Amino acid sequence: MLRNGLEPWHLLIVAIVVIVLFGSKKLPDTARALGRSMRILKSEAQAMKEESAPAVTAPVDAPAAAQSPSPSQ
């Protein structure tokens, strides 16, 4: 029965139902709010990605660390 999933005329029916339910005045505001939410989600995901990436640090000067006196001596 559902061999092709959603066809273009299904999407047209869904669009008509949405317009009838919400009205044409509220749709631009809803789309704007959805756009803002998507933008916030994208920026937060990017921040989390940058936060979890390992930071590149300068190499530690190993010989200088080996020459420093240890606190037990």
Side-chain angles (χ1 to χ4, degrees), residues 60-70 73:
V60 177
D61 192 13
Q67 293 176 357
S68 64
S70 63
Q73 288 180 348

Side-chain angles (χ1 to χ4, degrees), residues 1-58:
M1 224 175 190
L2 289 174
R3 58 187 163 91
N4 291 335
L6 288 178
E7 294 182 8
W9 65 274
H10 290 125
L11 297 176
L12 180 64
I13 291 173
V14 169
I16 290 171
V17 169
V18 167
I19 290 172
V20 168
L21 285 177
F22 294 108
S24 61
K25 287 190 175 189
K26 289 189 179 182
L27 284 179
D29 295 334
T30 305
R32 196 173 299 119
L34 181 63
R36 277 192 215 119
S37 299
M38 292 299 292
R39 204 173 316 126
I40 290 169
L41 178 67
K42 184 178 177 182
S43 67
E44 291 296 325
Q46 183 67 27
M48 287 178 65
K49 188 183 219 183
E50 289 173 357
E51 200 172 89
S52 67
V56 178
T57 59

